[in-house]
Amino acid sequence: MPASHFVFPDGYTIPRVINGGWQLSTGHALGAPLDMKDAHDAFARLLDLGLDTFDGADIYTGVEDFYGTIVRERRRAGLTLPRIHTKFVPDLKDLAHVDYAYVERILTRSLARLGLEALDLVQFHWWDYEVPGMVECAGHLVRAQGKGIVRRIGTTNFNRAQLERLLDAGIPVVSNQCQYSALDRRPERKDGLTELARERNVALLCYGTVAGGFLSEKWIGRERPASFENRSLVKYDLVIEDSLGWEGFQKLLGLLEEIGRPKGLGIAQTASLYALGKPGVGAVILGTRSSRHIDAAAALLANDLTPDERSAIDAFLADYPTLDGDAFDLERLVGGKHRAIMRMNLTESTTGR
């Protein structure tokens, strides 16, 4: 079985399954609104099961406030608090002008929303590597760390070359959040992120392992729909199109179901275990928006795939391409379809303090 927890160099310990809040963000759903009471109950249940680490972002509208409600409720009740991983994502339009005051203002806003005295992990994102100031901005986070605002610094959606720039500049990056799954294997390219993670002791915190819900039984035998109910499905439909294609995707679903069924695992669980066992991976981030899949997420840490099962998935995927470039390169490509669905100016427009 995989280790149930991941331990950072400073002793900070998290479950290897992190609860993601992106799907709770205003603007994620393209159809009916979420049942936020059920979402609240789901996160309470996760805490009861020991899955006590939540992932969010300053630009996930409403998510830091949602987590803050849980933090305040538990503090009043004298209960242990969840670990909160948030992000610092300066707007694309602001990159050339980010100074320390800008950084501290956004971090202080996150603290106020969350009801915390310090941020457990702040994950830094930089939209355009061509705009100078990235390393200097990361240095502002180090300054905030020295003031006790931030406990640990991570990155989000950095490729190998740019993450290496930060590390070589002395930025104490402990993790990099990246898209990594059976559908998107960019991090494992030769001389890529997984190799750097091992070399420099940077944990990969992986999202997209179930492709926004595509890697589940509900998609077996279905034709590709003309429209989707949320932004995650829009995003991962493009990933499928540029990797396995719809026919190959259907075959992958069949293989994952075949491997998981004797173990009592669903397709999403099998896909998550596949990602969780990859070199350099510290944890997987599973989007949580309802109570339906809580027990399935908790069951991951009591199961694993055998070497033969992993080899079968690897052999199948070897016949198909993965996305071009390094991690998140396509999402940065000006004029590209993967970039077209990104919203890059949300830091100042998100509601709240």
Side-chain angles (χ1 to χ4, degrees):
M1 290 185 295
S4 62
H5 287 73
F6 179 81
V7 183
F8 287 88
D10 67 350
Y12 178 60
T13 303
I14 61 170
R16 297 197 69 207
V17 175
I18 295 173
N19 316 300
W22 156 234
Q23 296 187 19
L24 300 174
S25 175
T26 301
H28 175 265
L30 302 177
L34 293 177
D35 180 345
M36 296 306 293
K37 182 183 183 306
D38 181 56
H40 180 280
D41 292 344
F43 276 85
R45 172 74 174 140
L46 287 164
L47 285 164
D48 291 340
L49 293 170
L51 299 179
D52 62 358
T53 304
F54 301 167
D55 181 80
D58 54 341
I59 62 169
Y60 295 175
T61 308
V63 172
E64 288 183 330
D65 289 304
F66 174 82
Y67 288 160
T69 299
I70 295 172
V71 167
R72 291 176 177 90
E73 287 176 355
R74 292 184 68 84
R75 183 179 282 121
R76 286 194 297 269
L79 300 173
T80 58
L81 303 183
R83 295 169 173 85
I84 306 291
H85 297 175
T86 193
K87 299 180 183 71
F88 170 65
V89 186
D91 286 346
L92 176 63
K93 62 179 174 54
D94 292 338
L95 295 187
H97 312 290
V98 175
D99 57 12
Y100 179 75
Y102 179 106
V103 173
E104 185 170 293
R105 177 164 52 84
I106 300 304
L107 295 178
T108 301
R109 184 179 68 177
S110 291
L111 287 172
R113 289 170 169 174
L114 293 165
L116 296 172
E117 293 72 40
L119 300 168
D120 290 315
L121 176 67
V122 172
Q123 301 160 105
F124 171 49
H125 179 71
W126 193 258
W127 285 113
D128 189 344
Y129 296 140
E130 298 301 314
V131 178
M134 180 185 77
V135 174
E136 291 77 7
C137 186
H140 298 324
L141 290 174
V142 176
R143 180 178 171 187
Q145 187 178 36
K147 295 177 69 173
I149 300 171
V150 173
R151 293 195 174 106
R152 292 160 205 90
I153 297 170
T155 51
T156 296
N157 292 324
F158 270 62
N159 63 22
R160 175 181 175 133
Q162 300 303 324
L163 178 54
E164 202 162 20
R165 277 185 65 197
L166 295 186
L167 293 167
D168 289 346
I171 307 300
V173 177
V174 299
S175 65
N176 182 46
Q177 188 173 138
C178 61
Q179 185 171 292
Y180 193 8
S181 70
L183 295 174
D184 184 357
R185 292 165 282 136
R186 287 177 289 179
E188 63 189 48
R189 289 187 184 279
K190 181 175 171 51
D191 300 323
L193 269 179
T194 55
E195 184 174 313
L196 181 67
R198 293 194 301 269
E199 292 172 355
R200 305 294 288 268
N201 203 19
V202 174
L204 300 182
L205 306 180
C206 302
Y207 68 88
T209 56
V210 298
F214 269 122
L215 292 174
S216 67
E217 285 77 8
K218 69 177 288 186
W219 291 96
I220 291 178
R222 289 183 58 178
E223 296 293 326
R224 179 182 177 275
S227 61
F228 298 97
E229 66 187 37
N230 61 58
R231 291 183 63 208
S232 286
L233 293 176
V234 172
K235 170 184 173 65
Y236 291 109
D237 176 58
L238 298 179
V239 173
I240 292 170
E241 182 178 57
D242 286 357
S243 57
L244 277 66
W246 198 259
E247 182 179 351
F249 164 63
Q250 289 294 319
K251 292 178 180 178
L252 175 63
L253 291 178
L255 175 61
L256 295 176
E257 183 186 42
E258 178 184 343
I259 289 172
R261 189 188 312 113
K263 300 171 178 287
L265 298 174
I267 289 173
Q269 291 171 300
T270 305
S272 297
L273 286 172
Y274 177 72
L276 196 56
K278 288 291 187 177
V281 173
V284 295
I285 302 167
L286 300 182
T288 303
R289 57 177 172 170
S290 75
S291 57
R292 286 180 299 157
H293 305 299
I294 299 305
D295 291 332
L300 285 177
L301 300 182
N303 287 280
D304 201 359
L305 302 183
T306 67
D308 286 346
E309 290 163 345
R310 291 188 177 280
S311 294
I313 298 171
D314 288 336
F316 171 82
L317 295 173
D319 290 334
Y320 294 90
T322 192
L323 303 184
D324 291 338
D326 201 345
F328 213 72
D329 283 355
L330 282 176
E331 290 83 350
R332 298 177 186 277
L333 184 63
V334 176
K337 62 184 180 182
H338 294 270
R339 178 179 170 121
I341 64 172
M342 297 291 160
R343 297 178 180 178
M344 301 183 177
N345 292 297
L346 289 173
T347 298
E348 298 294 356
S349 63
T350 50
T351 59
R353 292 164 292 276

